[in-house]
Each structure stands twice: as C-alpha cells, then as structure tokens.
Amino acid sequence: ERARLLDAERAARLETETSAARLDTLQRVTAELSRAVALDDVVDVVLGTGVRELGGQTGSLCLRDGDDLVIAHAVGYPHDVTEHWGRFPVSADLPASEAVRTGRAVLISSPEERDRRYPVFATAPLVPDTAYAIVPLADHEPSGCLVVGFAEPREFSGRDEDFFFVLASRCGAALERARLFEEREHARAAVAFLAEASAVLVSSLAYERTLRQLAALAVPRLADLCGVYLTREAGEIEPVAIVHADPERADLIRQMLGRYPVRPGDAVGVAEVIRTGQPQIYPKITDDALVAAAYNDEHLKLLRSVGLGAGMAVPLQARGRVFGALLLANDRGRALHSDDALLGEELAARAGTVIDNARLFAERTYVAQTLQRSLLPGQLPEFDRLALAARYLPGAPDVAAGGDWYDVLALDGHRVAIVVGDVVGRGAAAAAVMGQLRTALATALLHGDSAAAALEHLDRMAARIPGALASTAVVMILDLTTGQLCWSRARSEEHTSELQSHH
C-alpha cells in the first residue's frame, strides 16, 4: 500500500511539474507572440520558440489556399520535401489535410503507424522524424495547421493533444492578427503607390516619357519587371519601357525584344491582351507558355534565361479602344499576389486614361495649330530696304489657336502695311472671327484705303460678325521711298468704337 501511494505521489508530482512546465511554455510563447507584429516575426516565434518548447526537431505551417494546403513556412525540411509536398489538396488522404478538414489533431507515434495510416508516405520524400503532431490552427474552419516532427517515437496522451491544440490556437490567432496587420499595411502602401503613380502620370503630356517613369516607379515595389507596350499605326507592338530590378537583365530583355519583337498574332502574353482587351494573369509562367511565345530554339533559350516565374499583362485602354499593354512579372520564387494583380489593373486603367487624354490633346493641338497656320501669313514678303521677322507664341501652353493675328502686305507705290490685331477670347471660335477680320482688313488695304479708312471699314464689318465686337487692331503703313510712317489703331467694343490716327 505504501508503494502504491508512493507511485501515486510520484505520478501526481510529475503531472504537476509537467503542467507547470507546459503553462510556462504557453506563457513564454504567448509573450513572444504578443510582441510579434509582422507575419515573419510570428512565424519565427511559432517555428522557433514553439517547436523548440515542444521538443520538436522539425516544424512547418501549412496554410489554406482555396481548396489546397501550401507549406508556407518550414524549418528543418529538406528541399525535396518542400518541392514534393509544397501544395496538396485539402481533400487528400494526408494527415495535414485530415487535421484541417476535421478540426482535430492528428498524432502519429511511430513510422510504422505513419505508413499504416497513410501508405503514400512509404514511397515519398519525408522529413527525418519518427513521430508527428499535426494540429489545426483553430477548431472551426481552420486556416491551416501546425506540423511538429519529433526525432524519437513517443506516445501522445489526451493532455498532450489538449496542450498542442491550445498552443496551435494561440499561434493561429497571432497569424491572423499578423495577416490583418500586413493587409492594412499593404493597403496603405498601395494607396501611397497609386497616389505617387498618379502624380507621375499627370506630370506631363509627353506620355511615353511618363510611362518610362511609371515603369521605374513600379520596380521593385510592385514587381521585379515592368514593361509598357504601345501599338503603332502599322500594327506593330513596340516596348516603350522595360525596367527590371537587375539592370543587366533589363538590357538582356531589351536586346531580345530588338531581335524578336512581340508579334501581334502571338497566342499568349502582351499580344493576346492587346488583341482581346482582357487581362491575363499567370500564377506560374510555364515552359509551355514560353514555347508558345518563342520564334525559334534560340529565342526559347533566351526566354528561359530571363527567369520569370509569375506575371500578368493588363490592357492599356480607354473609351473602348486598346492601344497597349502593361506587363508586370516576378522572378522565380516570388509569387504574384492577388492584391498586386488588382493594383496592376488599377495602375493600367489610370495609365490608359492619361495616354488617351494626352493623345486627344495632341490631336486637338495639331488641329488648332493647323487652323492657326492657315489663318496667318505663311511667308513674309521681302523688301529691299526693310528686314522683317515675325513670331507667334501662344500666351498659355494649352492654347494652340486664338484670336491674335499679324499681317504684312505689299501695297502700291513702294508702301508696306503691317498689321497686328486681337479678338477677345481664345480657341477656335476666336480664331474663326480673327480669320474673317484679317481677310476684310487686308482686302481694304490692298484696295488702296488708308490705315484709318481700312479700320473704319473693318469696324462696320465687325458689327455683322458674331463675337467680333470686342477687338483691337493697329495698322502701320510705311513708305519705303520717303520713310514716312502712318499708323492707326482702333478698338471696337460692344457699344463703342474708338479710332486714333498718327503720321
């Protein structure tokens, strides 16, 4: 009886010491998790302190990604294990899948039990462990599981399972908190990036130079590679910006595109996006996609040497018209996140609007300049004793046509008429009024009217032209033989007219 009581006392003492040790473990891990804010810091605590406190040899975090589980973080795992088991279905007959599906821990005491319960492991690469604890990160709709491997076989009790579950639940809560924190920080960074990109996009109407600045801004904050492609009138697709985090690789891509340009009929990539107007996302750039885009074996070799692992291409478009594509890609090993894809689409939409506005402005400017040139003297006449020069400069950068005009006319008797005038207003409407006034004034002067008489004729005509009753003009007539100069100025307003003449 004394021996039985002694054994019971020892068992109770051991249980008390074990409970105290586990409570101490939970306190230490909880304290470290409370200080960890970023996701990497939480992972370091879980797979560092957490696995070590449990006496584990290896550890991993398997996180849910849709219908799959992904080994997101691991310590002590050989490369062939992470390569083989990097992604697997939640529905698979595997311990991690079972733990996530059921919300209960899967405890494996020995290699024999492992191979008996999960025969697939008999021929698959494994971590160098003999016992395993696979614990869901929550008991209701787990986001993943914590896997701890032990070097020696061991038996797991109900108290072990409870302890593992409490520890995993706290780790899961810390991971969720870190995920929310990173999402918030990512959202802030995205807003800041879009604000900075928008400032770049509206900084100049020279949109091709602006697009090159935009590509430099996107690397490496948004992707490892950013390319901007525009279509030309003949249908070819031209890269106007290629930026990579590694300048040497950027040069390699430019040289490759110089030898093997993007073909409008290509079935994948930039050409497909421009042709269809639909964005294309490539979570993994497969070798089949490279083969489809390659001209020949040499081109395929160059494409493979670039080393891109994931990417997306988004059309640059506005008002239903596609005029280019934005390409974002990451090197192998850096995934393209869904948030980055949405950010890339928003960036392309803003760039498309800016390009469209710049092109519309350029077209409008060309039309206005053509109109202005048609209304002004194409070439000044030449005289023996008189040197002439003219300059016409818009008063504002966004006004290419207006109501200001000048004219030089060769009159009879070795006389020269020089005219400067202005119609109040700007734009095509003022230019149209100006064209009528210039023609009327030139006709009167060539008919032989004096400067004053010509302006009086112009004033009477202005009354018949809508918008012309707010004009000014100066006419100078120079006699090249005598050097005599006569000039008159006139101002026509809505209710009054004023005429001054001088000799």
Side-chain angles (χ1 to χ4, degrees), residues 171-193:
C171 292
L175 287 170
E176 180 64 15
R177 186 180 68 246
R179 183 187 65 81
L180 293 174
F181 173 79
E182 293 210 344
E183 284 184 358
R184 184 183 66 184
E185 293 303 306
H186 185 79
R188 288 180 178 177
V191 171
F193 174 78

Side-chain angles (χ1 to χ4, degrees), residues 31-346:
E32 292 191 28
L33 288 175
S34 66
R35 292 191 294 270
V37 177
L39 183 60
D40 289 342
D41 297 334
V42 173
V43 170
D44 289 342
V45 174
V46 173
L47 297 184
T49 305
V51 171
R52 186 172 59 252
E53 291 286 348
L54 293 175
Q57 176 175 249
T58 65
S60 67
L61 281 169
C62 297
L63 301 181
R64 189 159 190 165
D65 182 16
D67 294 330
D68 292 338
L69 284 173
V70 177
I71 299 180
H73 310 277
V75 291
Y77 276 41
H79 175 72
D80 59 339
V81 173
T82 55
E83 184 72 19
H84 184 85
W85 296 109
R87 176 182 289 269
F88 50 92
V90 175
S91 59
D93 187 18
L94 296 169
S97 301
E98 181 180 334
V100 172
R101 281 198 313 270
T102 63
R104 296 184 59 84
V106 175
L107 305 174
I108 303 173
S109 300
S110 66
E112 293 76 19
E113 181 184 358
R114 175 196 66 203
D115 295 342
R116 175 175 51 81
R117 294 175 60 179
Y118 307 99
V120 67
F121 287 139
T123 57
L126 297 173
V127 290
D129 299 313
T130 58
Y132 311 86
I134 303 97
V135 193
L137 296 176
D139 58 352
H140 179 65
E141 295 185 359
S143 60
C145 61
L146 170 64
V147 181
V148 181
F150 301 92
E152 301 294 335
R154 59 179 292 175
E155 295 295 328
F156 297 98
S157 66
R159 291 182 180 274
D160 288 335
E161 183 175 354
D162 292 341
F163 172 65
F164 292 157
F165 188 80
V166 171
L167 182 61
S169 296
R170 296 189 181 183
C171 292
L175 287 170
E176 180 64 15
R177 186 180 68 246
R179 183 187 65 81
L180 293 174
F181 173 79
E182 293 210 344
E183 284 184 358
R184 184 183 66 184
E185 293 303 306
H186 185 79
R188 288 180 178 177
V191 171
F193 174 78
L194 284 177
E196 191 172 352
S198 297
V200 169
L201 287 170
V202 301
S203 63
S204 171
L205 288 170
Y207 63 90
E208 292 195 10
R209 181 179 63 190
T210 300
L211 291 174
R212 288 190 285 271
Q213 295 174 344
L214 180 67
L217 183 66
V219 176
R221 292 167 62 177
L222 196 57
D224 294 320
L225 168 70
C226 181
V228 183
Y229 298 78
L230 296 179
T231 56
R232 300 306 186 189
E233 291 185 2
E236 68 271 19
I237 300 173
E238 179 184 348
V240 298
I242 297 292
V243 179
H244 193 282
D246 181 358
E248 293 184 358
R249 289 170 70 185
D251 290 339
L252 171 65
I253 296 171
R254 294 189 196 99
Q255 293 172 12
M256 179 179 65
L257 288 171
R259 295 177 58 188
Y260 304 105
V262 176
R263 294 169 293 191
D266 284 344
V268 296
V270 168
E272 179 189 14
V273 168
I274 293 176
R275 190 170 56 254
T276 64
Q278 298 297 320
Q280 296 293 329
I281 299 178
Y282 308 97
K284 183 177 181 180
I285 298 177
T286 63
D287 196 63
D288 290 341
L290 300 182
V291 171
Y295 276 70
N296 49 39
D297 291 343
E298 182 183 5
H299 187 207
L300 179 60
K301 183 179 179 180
L302 289 172
L303 288 172
R304 287 168 174 165
S305 68
V306 173
L308 299 178
M312 66 179 298
V314 188
L316 297 172
Q317 58 185 336
R319 296 184 297 122
R321 177 189 173 197
V322 179
F323 36 75
L326 173 71
L327 173 68
L328 297 170
N330 288 331
D331 295 338
R332 295 191 187 101
R334 182 183 176 186
L336 183 71
H337 298 290
S338 58
D339 290 346
D340 294 335
L342 293 174
L343 187 58
E345 291 185 16
E346 177 64 24

